[in-house]
Amino acid sequence: MGLGGGGEGEQRRGGGEMMAMSSLFNDQQNPIQQLQVKFKEVEVGFKTWLSKQSIPVEAAVVSTMSGVQGAFIGGLMGTLSPEMPQTDPQAMASMKQAQALVGGPWVQARNFAAITAVNAGIACVMKRIRGKEDLESAVVAALGSGFAYSLVSQGLQGQPLNAITTAAGFAVFQGIFFKLGERFSKPSPEDPFYTRSRTMLLKLGLQKYEKNFKKGLLTDPTLPLLTDSALRDVSIPPGPRLLILDHIQRDPEIKGRRGK
């Protein structure tokens, strides 16, 4: 009886220590960091939900969100367009010609909404069908956004020649930007496998140990299987190890995956 009571006491004491350390680390996080954690959790949850939807639903949601963003940017650009002085007739004539081509805030909002919505929607569908984002998908999305821009900005006047030339121009520029992005950016294909791990470490204030997880290939599917020895093997100190294991024990989704 005495030994059993002592064991239970040790477990309670150990649990209390982990809760105290977790509280201490959470208190050390500044409000901005806590806001980033909440935003990241919402973002991950939304992306997870969206990935489970059918292609038409996902495309509709992505197109709508991108269209709203594009409309806001276009309207803002139209609002911030500089006013030309009215004392120069030649300058005023040039300005009126430019405004007739570009349009005011509402016209620019409409144009940008069409471009971004169609581009994002097609890119979403291409990614779901082909399983990747590449040059071909980017060019197809640009062709669609070019057609959309030509139709909403010029109507049926001069079509289909205007739509074809505009779409071709969009595709060329999109292809150039895509290749430049590939050349100068350094994508990390392993990052998607550490989304939940990164969120967990950020929430605990232990984001500096993300590189340890990657070094040991402790991807998201391994979270339910983590042990103290596994974390020790990737050079994580005892205190952070306790916090990580305690968090995994308290997270019902991670524990549920272990059961499966």
Side-chain angles (χ1 to χ4, degrees):
M1 294 292 291
L3 290 176
E8 291 179 0
E10 288 294 332
Q11 289 180 355
R12 294 194 191 98
R13 193 177 303 112
E17 290 176 355
M18 287 191 289
M19 290 180 63
M21 293 182 67
S22 178
S23 176
L24 177 61
F25 272 90
N26 288 333
D27 290 341
Q28 290 177 348
Q29 288 185 319
N30 57 53
I32 297 179
Q33 190 176 43
Q34 292 178 359
L35 185 62
Q36 290 175 338
V37 171
K38 293 297 182 182
F39 179 79
K40 188 66 177 179
E41 289 178 346
V42 172
E43 181 184 13
V44 171
F46 176 75
K47 288 183 177 179
T48 302
W49 172 83
L50 193 61
S51 64
K52 297 177 181 178
Q53 307 306 309
S54 63
I55 293 179
V57 172
E58 183 179 3
V61 172
V62 171
S63 298
T64 301
M65 294 177 60
S66 299
V68 171
Q69 294 176 357
F72 175 77
I73 295 173
L76 184 63
M77 292 179 61
T79 303
L80 298 179
S81 297
E83 294 290 339
M84 294 294 291
Q86 299 183 4
T87 56
D88 188 348
Q90 185 175 1
M92 282 297 299
S94 301
M95 184 64 181
K96 288 181 178 180
Q97 291 178 356
Q99 287 180 342
L101 179 63
V102 178
W106 292 109
V107 174
Q108 291 202 39
R110 178 200 64 191
N111 294 345
F112 272 81
I115 293 171
T116 54
V118 174
N119 188 287
I122 295 178
C124 173
V125 172
M126 294 290 291
K127 183 178 179 180
R128 285 287 295 268
I129 294 176
R130 307 182 75 239
K132 59 181 178 179
E133 295 178 354
D134 54 10
L135 179 62
E136 288 78 5
S137 298
V139 169
V140 171
L143 285 171
S145 60
F147 272 110
Y149 172 74
S150 178
L151 291 175
V152 299
S153 62
Q154 301 180 30
L156 299 178
Q157 182 180 2
Q159 305 296 0
L161 181 60
N162 287 339
I164 293 174
T165 54
T166 303
F170 272 57
V172 169
F173 280 107
Q174 183 80 354
I176 292 174
F177 288 140
F178 186 89
K179 297 303 290 185
L180 288 176
E182 279 188 334
R183 182 185 182 93
F184 294 105
S185 64
K186 296 180 179 180
S188 51
E190 63 180 358
D191 282 349
F193 297 102
Y194 297 91
T195 302
R196 186 171 294 278
S197 303
R198 188 182 307 112
T199 302
M200 176 188 69
L201 293 174
L202 187 62
K203 188 174 184 178
L204 296 173
L206 303 174
Q207 57 269 25
K208 66 179 180 180
Y209 295 111
E210 182 181 347
K211 62 180 181 296
N212 300 69
F213 271 66
K214 292 182 177 181
K215 181 180 178 181
L217 299 179
L218 300 179
T219 57
D220 290 348
T222 68
L223 288 181
L225 307 174
L226 284 183
T227 61
D228 184 77
S229 60
L231 295 173
R232 184 171 60 247
D233 289 342
V234 294
S235 304
I236 296 179
R241 292 204 304 267
L242 290 174
L243 292 176
I244 292 170
L245 293 175
D246 179 63
H247 177 84
I248 292 174
Q249 287 296 321
R250 294 173 183 275
D251 192 316
E253 186 172 351
I254 296 179
K255 292 180 67 176
R257 292 191 178 192
R258 183 171 188 173
K260 294 178 182 180

